[in-house]
Amino acid sequence: MLIFEKEGVYLHTNAKRSNQDTTIPGFIRVVERAGVPALEWSPLEDEGRSAPAVLYTKKVSNQGGEEDTHFDPGYEPDWAVISTVKKDREHVPVRDSGWSFSLPLSELYSLRRARFSLGRNFLVLTSRGGHPLPPLHFHRGGTRELFRALQRYIILDQSPVDGRLFLAYPCDSGALSQSFDKLQLLDEGGSDLRFIHDPYATTFGGFSKVTNFFRAALRPPDSQVYSRTAQDPSLPPQSDEEPGFELITCLGPRPDVTRGQPLDKWEEFLDPEGRVKNPEKVKELVFKGGVTPPLRKEVWKFLLGFYPWNSTAKEREDILRVKTDEYFRMKVQWKSVSEEQEMRNSLLRGYRSLIERDVSRTDRHNTFFSGNDNPGLTLLHDVLMTYCMYNFDLGYVQGMSDLLSPILFVTQNEVESFWCLTGFMELLHQNFEESQEAMKHQLIQLSILLKALDPELCDFLDSQDSGSLCFCFRWLLIWFKREFSFEDILILWEVLWTRLPCDNFHLLIACSILQSQRGELIGSDHDFNTILKHINELTMKLDLQSVLRGAEAIYQQLIQCKELPIKVQQVLGLYIPSSSEEDSPDSQTSETQRLLAQSQAEAASCSSASGPTYP
């Protein structure tokens, strides 16, 4: 008898004998066969259909030796306490040909909701024999419905140590008789324990379940709450809280924030020799109101580290001369490559092809880049090709043309736009690295902030398989370039370049946008696909000033909390990591000082060229 069925559930094979991970589309079902409930998965091709597998490239291990033939999920199962299981109790899930499997629910030990790569949520099932099954990716959602179907036959109890782990217990046991069994501290034959997390936290976490369980046993059945989500309190909490994450209970009201006027006077900030007298004040004014268009060409060169804040007018002339020579030396390198040479240089040929394709479709609505044979398009192409010579390891990655076009529009100078781009890329180059570790880290940081600010919204997104916040990927990759109008982006970026009030202010902007949409999301019929569609449709519909006010208000609200969790402090820069200066917008100043030393004898006057560092 079929109890539950969901199509579009991909099985992640993690095949070890090739350099690719393969996901196979299929069905997940809860069925009863001869009165025995079971969880089954079968590929689409077994249903008489044909569907291609989806391949994901992975690195091949450098370690030698014979490989295990069992499926390896790529991590050690991290439930709180794992007991030794006797061989005579070991149960291996039934598999027929291929990757299909059938697991009786009585043999289901745990379900763990995990993220193995960016934007993909997986459900990992483990049998009572300790065998993890291949992770399942619910491409079209449906995990809540699966949990609901499973709860007809088993109890799913959330681990107090890991909010993503649920232990499975039969429904037909008495509450008190289960209390110690649910702890799973020892197996039936001994006391061989293996602790995965901190042994002290694990032990006390386990014993705390005794108290919690007795409290639940004495509570009337209708008062049991498995989730903070009001939509369906019968389901276990779909929490993505990492172990040790604290919910903030001390948040006060969010303050009202006002924006200021743009910076419209520049000369009054310069001393007689042309040094900026008070760069901190300049940054504060830019953060509160931006810069008037006539001043952008000059101010941006300071914000992006092309000029040190304390450089004199004469020193800036020398910097420009040296930087101009350096730029054209790099440009000549790729301009002098013949067609025959390029035919034997697949990397350069690939960069050129990508750049030509992206340039032809970057901001063509802007008059500076519109039309055919536009000089602006030629400059865009040449600067990006020269950047490949400047940073050949990174080269060109799609999206970098979006970063350059506003800079080129403002400076309207090939050399200045190039060096401003290098300053911008010092902030964002990790976003474009192939490993995408920086993007994953930022999405985790965004999740930490959103959990602290709005756990209800996080619960909703997680219930719809959107807890990874992968729909924010484009926002963070190119700093909202596609979400706001071209003029708004000029304001937004100069605000972000001040690095005020913290280096991760762009994450607070993302929180401000998400919270502005909570009314559209919570209580709606949105699923994973419609949430993604809704977020994408926000393009050009957001009010920048409102978003900026919201982001600054969020920052003020958080820093006023006296018990702010350390993880949130780290994201906001209040915990001051040792490498905090690595993301400074003035990262080019050491190179600039070298150039100044070559052109002038008074290098000492530039020894403090770095601008102030803000927490």
Side-chain angles (χ1 to χ4, degrees):
M1 180 172 64
L2 181 64
I3 307 300
F4 168 81
E5 182 181 61
K6 182 68 179 178
E7 188 181 358
V9 179
Y10 284 66
L11 182 141
H12 183 78
T13 67
N14 195 26
K16 281 190 166 185
R17 299 190 181 278
S18 70
N19 65 344
Q20 292 177 320
D21 287 349
T22 306
T23 58
I24 305 172
F27 288 84
I28 189 76
R29 298 183 179 91
V30 177
V31 299
E32 279 191 25
R33 301 188 188 279
V36 177
L39 185 65
E40 299 181 347
W41 182 89
S42 59
L44 284 178
E45 57 190 18
D46 286 0
E47 307 295 324
R49 301 177 221 183
S50 173
V54 181
L55 300 178
Y56 296 93
T57 301
K58 70 172 184 178
K59 293 181 180 179
V60 179
S61 173
N62 293 325
Q63 298 178 352
E66 186 176 350
E67 293 186 343
D68 189 1
T69 56
H70 290 301
F71 169 76
D72 180 359
Y75 71 100
E76 186 172 25
D78 55 350
W79 40 77
V81 182
I82 302 178
S83 60
T84 303
V85 181
K86 297 186 184 220
K87 290 295 182 181
D88 57 1
R89 294 182 59 201
E90 186 167 308
H91 178 90
V92 180
V94 176
R95 279 192 193 159
D96 55 20
S97 61
W99 287 94
S100 301
F101 67 79
S102 177
L103 178 67
L105 295 187
S106 61
E107 294 297 332
L108 177 63
Y109 177 74
S110 69
L111 299 90
R112 189 179 193 279
R113 303 171 65 251
R115 292 185 189 134
F116 285 85
S117 61
L118 190 61
R120 289 189 284 157
N121 285 302
F122 289 91
L123 192 67
V124 179
L125 311 174
T126 303
S127 73
R128 294 196 178 276
H131 294 277
L133 289 164
L136 300 173
H137 174 220
F138 286 71
H139 184 68
R140 302 176 185 173
T143 55
R144 289 179 65 84
E145 292 80 1
L146 175 62
F147 271 64
R148 184 180 295 112
L150 293 176
Q151 282 191 304
R152 296 180 56 176
Y153 303 100
I154 56 176
I155 295 172
L156 295 175
D157 190 38
Q158 187 180 26
S159 165
V161 179
D162 186 349
R164 297 181 185 179
L165 178 69
F166 298 91
L167 303 179
Y169 307 100
C171 287
D172 56 356
S173 300
L176 293 180
S177 65
Q178 288 184 45
S179 58
F180 286 95
D181 178 63
K182 288 178 72 174
L183 290 176
Q184 294 288 310
L185 289 176
L186 308 173
D187 87 348
E188 293 178 352
S191 58
D192 183 11
L193 295 180
R194 187 156 57 96
F195 295 92
I196 301 304
H197 295 297
D198 174 54
Y200 295 100
T202 300
T203 303
F204 285 109
F207 282 112
S208 70
K209 294 178 73 175
V210 177
T211 303
N212 295 337
F213 193 87
F214 274 97
R215 184 182 299 120
L218 296 173
R219 185 185 303 139
D222 59 352
S223 66
Q224 290 191 8
V225 179
Y226 287 93
S227 174
R228 289 193 303 264
T229 306
Q231 289 178 309
D232 194 345
S234 67
L235 292 177
Q238 301 273 333
S239 170
D240 273 345
E241 292 167 16
E242 298 293 341
F245 183 81
E246 308 169 54
L247 288 178
I248 299 180
T249 58
C250 63
L251 278 184
R254 189 165 297 176
D256 293 329
V257 171
T258 57
R259 300 283 298 158
Q261 296 298 315
L263 175 68
D264 59 355
K265 294 181 176 61
W266 181 244
E267 294 298 327
E268 66 182 38
F269 286 100
L270 303 179
D271 69 9
E273 292 184 314
R275 297 184 184 89
V276 179
K277 293 181 293 186
N278 193 345
E280 293 88 350
K281 182 63 176 177
V282 172
K283 291 181 180 181
E284 290 172 7
L285 290 173
V286 174
F287 172 75
K288 294 297 290 186
V291 184
T292 55
L295 295 183
R296 279 186 176 134
K297 178 179 172 65
E298 187 68 14
V299 176
W300 279 22
K301 287 180 280 189
F302 288 87
L303 291 173
L304 290 169
F306 181 48
Y307 292 147
W309 289 97
N310 67 343
S311 59
T312 65
K314 177 63 171 62
E315 289 168 346
R316 292 195 287 273
E317 291 177 3
D318 295 332
I319 290 171
L320 181 59
R321 186 185 69 254
V322 174
K323 291 284 192 180
T324 300
D325 290 343
E326 187 174 354
Y327 172 80
F328 282 107
R329 280 200 303 271
M330 289 185 290
K331 183 175 181 179
V332 166
Q333 291 176 3
W334 65 267
K335 292 283 283 186
S336 61
V337 174
S338 66
E339 292 185 9
E340 185 179 355
Q341 286 177 302
E342 190 168 313
M343 288 298 295
R344 295 189 294 269
N345 190 331
S346 60
L347 193 59
L348 181 62
R349 191 168 65 249
Y351 288 155
R352 186 191 295 272
S353 176
L354 283 174
I355 290 171
E356 290 175 351
R357 184 184 63 184
D358 284 358
V359 163
S360 66
R361 58 189 184 186
T362 299
D363 291 323
R364 298 303 299 274
H365 61 279
N366 188 296
T367 55
F368 191 77
F369 303 106
S370 63
N372 297 322
D373 300 323
N374 190 311
L377 295 179
T378 302
L379 291 178
L380 195 64
H381 171 274
D382 289 358
V383 170
L384 291 173
M385 284 295 297
T386 305
Y387 186 83
C388 291
M389 299 294 106
Y390 173 81
N391 187 352
F392 213 88
D393 285 342
L394 179 63
Y396 178 81
V397 182
Q398 187 175 15
M400 289 168 58
S401 62
D402 283 291
L403 302 184
L404 174 60
S405 61
I407 296 174
L408 187 57
F409 171 79
V410 167
T411 63
Q412 301 200 8
N413 180 283
E414 183 176 2
V415 174
E416 292 176 352
S417 66
F418 172 83
W419 291 111
C420 286
L421 174 66
T422 63
F424 197 4
M425 288 300 295
E426 284 296 317
L427 300 176
L428 296 187
H429 72 93
Q430 291 181 326
N431 288 6
F432 297 93
E433 292 177 355
E434 186 176 0
S435 68
Q436 295 192 336
E437 288 300 322
M439 290 301 299
K440 297 175 188 178
H441 182 62
Q442 290 179 75
L443 287 174
I444 292 172
Q445 290 181 315
L446 177 57
S447 179
I448 289 172
L449 290 175
L450 196 61
K451 286 186 179 77
L453 293 165
D454 200 334
E456 184 183 2
L457 178 57
C458 282
D459 281 346
F460 170 77
L461 293 174
D462 201 47
S463 72
Q464 304 303 321
D465 294 322
S466 300
S468 65
L469 304 179
C470 61
F471 47 79
C472 300
F473 183 90
R474 187 178 70 188
W475 296 0
L476 307 183
L477 179 70
I478 52 176
W479 274 12
F480 308 94
K481 173 64 162 55
R482 307 279 181 88
E483 320 314 317
F484 294 96
S485 68
F486 194 88
E487 180 58 35
D488 279 349
I489 281 297
L490 305 183
I491 300 171
L492 175 60
W493 282 3
E494 60 199 11
V495 167
L496 290 173
W497 290 335
T498 67
R499 314 304 277 162
L500 293 176
C502 64
D503 286 352
N504 282 326
F505 191 64
H506 65 295
L507 300 181
L508 297 175
I509 289 174
C511 287
S512 177
I513 296 173
L514 289 174
Q515 286 203 292
S516 73
Q517 300 300 310
R518 75 187 312 275
E520 290 287 331
L521 297 174
I522 295 180
S524 67
D525 295 327
H526 287 303
D527 57 15
F528 176 87
N529 291 324
T530 56
I531 289 174
L532 182 63
K533 181 174 182 290
H534 175 77
I535 295 298
N536 285 337
E537 289 177 348
L538 295 177
T539 300
M540 304 301 165
K541 297 179 182 177
L542 297 168
D543 178 68
L544 176 63
Q545 296 302 321
S546 175
V547 169
L548 288 173
R549 285 194 299 270
E552 186 178 356
I554 288 172
Y555 179 81
Q556 295 295 337
Q557 181 187 29
L558 288 174
I559 64 172
Q560 289 170 12
C561 177
K562 296 180 180 179
E563 300 177 359
L564 200 62
I566 289 178
K567 286 189 177 181
V568 180
Q569 293 183 45
Q570 290 172 334
V571 176
L572 298 180
L574 303 178
Y575 201 68
I576 309 182
S578 59
S579 59
S580 58
E581 296 179 359
E582 292 179 358
D583 294 329
S584 167
D586 301 315
S587 55
Q588 294 186 75
T589 55
S590 59
E591 173 68 8
T592 299
Q593 289 178 7
R594 182 184 65 80
L595 295 173
L596 288 173
Q598 294 175 352
S599 61
Q600 290 193 1
E602 305 95 29
S605 65
C606 301
S607 60
S608 58
S610 295
T613 300
Y614 292 85

